[in-house]
Amino acid sequence: MPVLTTDAESETGIPKSLSNEPPSETMEEIEHTCPQPRLTLTAPAPFADETSCQCQAPHEKLTIAQARLGTPVDRPVRVYADGIFDLFHSGHARALMQAKTLFPNSYLLVGVCSDDLTHKFKGFTVMNEAERYEALRHCRYVDEVIRDAPWTLTPEFLEKHKIDFVAHDDIPYSSAGSDDVYKHIKEAGMFVPTQRTEGISTSDIITRIVRDYDVYARRNLQRGYTAKELNVSFINEKKYRFQNQVDKMKEKVKNVEERSKEFVNRVEEKSHDLIQKWEEKSREFIGNFLELFGPDGAWKQMFQERSSRMLQALSPKQSPVSSPTRSRSPSRSPSPTFSWLPSKTSPPSSPKAASASISSMSEGDEDEK
């Protein structure tokens, strides 16, 4: 693809955007050999000095509108983001993600300042420069890492790495005697703003550690670090260890309380179950009792049937009114008949009458014999 080489530069030395007028320079047919964005994440991002852009084709100046349309098609848009990246966190990753996704085909270069430069202009870091370099290399959005990046971007640095745009949050960054170190980048039309992630920053993390210093000192003592490694005095070491023992006892008491609560809850659950079962059995027993012994129960009917049977068994059967006379057996003598009741005849009025009645009774006896 033909590219344009121009010598037009701004007052700061940064090439200006192309105008709509035809260029006065000659057009050269030179193929771009710029590194392409990473397609696999099986290896960390390379350092710039290991895979620097050796492309000999001049890079035409792009506008943001052109870059968002996906042009040029023969090379990626080279976006640069720099920082300290101490205690690499999600806020850093989000900023790099925004820089990577600014344009359809972006190649993200990340510059990391050295320890000397950072300590001079910003302050001490928790991680050294080698650790910060490695943290950036293993971020998925980074295509290339530039070690010992400059604090203020120069035209020579931009030209060396063939940077098209610089990505950073839009808040003026005052440092190194300047109100905004990105002011000249913004004036050249090469600045693309990103959004900061609220609630997370390296300073916030350090503030948490300093605020809860005793907690983290006790934590590391418990994990096996020595008081010398933590720069803790002898008295504080004993105090922290005593506090750790107290915390252990509190944790044991808490565990016992939780277990006792669980036991009580289980007993209550079982008691509720037992009460429910007892109520069900009680209702069942009462229902069965009423069914047997209630006013219309089966027991009453059975008792009435049995009592009627017993009464029938105990009461004799009535003999018939006219029964046939039994024939007397000739071999058996008739049973004598006794008159148990006295006769209702009137007494004899005279001794002769008495003797006559006695004689008649004796005659009757002889007749029966």
Side-chain angles (χ1 to χ4, degrees):
M1 175 182 177
V3 296
L4 302 178
T5 58
T6 63
D7 295 331
E9 294 183 352
S10 64
E11 295 178 356
T12 58
I14 300 174
K16 295 181 180 179
S17 301
L18 291 176
S19 61
N20 294 329
E21 298 178 359
S24 58
E25 304 293 334
T26 59
M27 301 179 65
E28 300 177 357
E29 291 284 347
I30 303 176
E31 184 180 356
H32 284 283
T33 58
C34 297
Q36 297 296 318
R38 289 197 299 165
L39 299 178
T40 61
L41 300 177
T42 57
F47 290 115
D49 50 6
E50 296 174 355
T51 176
S52 59
C53 183
Q54 302 295 334
C55 180
Q56 299 298 324
H59 283 224
E60 68 275 19
K61 188 69 173 69
L62 296 175
T63 63
I64 295 176
Q66 290 174 337
R68 284 177 177 167
L69 291 175
T71 55
V73 294
D74 57 345
R75 71 173 180 87
V77 178
R78 296 173 67 84
V79 180
Y80 176 80
D82 59 357
I84 309 302
F85 301 106
D86 191 20
L87 298 176
F88 189 83
H89 52 75
S90 62
H92 294 141
R94 285 177 177 272
L96 296 176
M97 179 185 69
Q98 294 178 56
K100 176 68 174 177
T101 57
L102 285 171
F103 308 111
N105 186 24
S106 298
Y107 185 88
L108 181 59
L109 301 93
V110 180
V112 184
C113 300
S114 64
D115 286 344
D116 293 338
L117 205 58
T118 304
H119 298 167
K120 178 180 178 181
F121 291 109
K122 190 170 185 178
F124 290 99
T125 58
V126 178
M127 301 169 64
N128 58 42
E129 59 185 27
E131 294 169 338
R132 293 185 285 117
Y133 296 155
E134 287 299 317
L136 267 298
R137 290 186 68 197
H138 291 83
C139 178
R140 62 180 299 181
Y141 307 112
V142 179
D143 295 306
E144 186 177 315
V145 176
I146 301 176
R147 292 180 283 196
D148 194 12
W151 197 261
T152 303
L153 300 178
T154 61
E156 292 78 17
F157 180 82
L158 297 174
E159 179 62 27
K160 176 183 177 181
H161 296 283
K162 296 179 172 41
I163 296 170
D164 294 309
F165 298 100
V166 177
H168 200 272
D169 61 82
D170 204 14
I171 301 174
Y173 194 86
S174 58
S175 180
S178 173
D179 295 335
D180 188 2
V181 295
Y182 298 103
K183 182 179 179 180
H184 61 293
I185 303 294
K186 294 176 181 177
E187 292 175 350
M190 298 176 62
F191 186 85
V192 185
T194 58
Q195 298 295 323
R196 292 179 63 89
T197 302
E198 297 297 332
I200 183 69
S201 68
T202 301
S203 299
D204 290 340
I205 295 174
I206 295 175
T207 300
R208 296 177 203 172
I209 297 173
V210 173
R211 181 187 59 202
D212 300 326
Y213 169 77
D214 290 350
V215 174
Y216 294 110
R218 289 167 52 191
R219 170 186 178 274
N220 282 9
L221 280 174
Q222 195 171 5
R223 288 176 175 265
Y225 288 88
T226 63
K228 184 177 180 181
E229 290 174 330
L230 298 174
N231 196 22
V232 174
S233 65
F234 176 79
I235 296 176
N236 284 336
E237 178 190 4
K238 298 303 179 184
K239 181 183 73 173
Y240 293 150
R241 294 193 183 279
F242 176 74
Q243 289 174 344
N244 287 336
Q245 294 297 328
V246 172
D247 289 344
K248 287 182 180 179
M249 292 299 297
K250 288 181 179 179
E251 189 68 24
K252 289 182 179 180
V253 172
K254 184 178 179 181
N255 292 335
V256 172
E257 289 179 353
E258 291 178 353
R259 290 177 182 176
S260 61
K261 287 180 181 178
E262 291 178 358
F263 176 75
V264 171
N265 292 333
R266 277 183 285 179
V267 170
E268 288 180 354
E269 291 177 359
K270 289 184 178 180
S271 63
H272 289 314
D273 294 338
L274 290 174
I275 290 171
Q276 289 179 356
K277 290 180 180 179
W278 182 82
E279 289 179 351
E280 293 175 358
K281 293 295 182 182
S282 300
R283 293 192 189 97
E284 184 179 355
F285 175 78
I286 293 170
N288 293 335
F289 182 84
L290 292 176
E291 186 178 352
L292 287 174
F293 302 102
D296 301 326
W299 179 260
K300 182 178 179 181
Q301 297 177 0
M302 183 174 63
F303 179 77
Q304 289 177 352
E305 292 178 359
R306 290 188 178 182
S307 60
S308 62
R309 290 177 184 176
M310 290 177 65
L311 289 173
Q312 290 177 3
L314 292 175
S315 62
K317 294 182 180 180
Q318 296 180 356
S319 58
V321 178
S322 60
S323 59
T325 57
R326 296 182 180 178
S327 60
R328 294 182 180 180
S329 174
S331 64
R332 295 180 62 182
S333 61
S335 59
T337 59
F338 299 95
S339 175
W340 296 97
L341 296 176
S343 175
K344 292 182 180 180
T345 59
S346 61
S349 59
S350 63
K352 291 181 179 180
S355 60
S357 62
I358 292 171
S359 62
S360 63
M361 289 176 64
S362 61
E363 287 177 359
D365 291 337
E366 288 178 358
D367 292 334
E368 289 177 0
K369 292 178 179 179

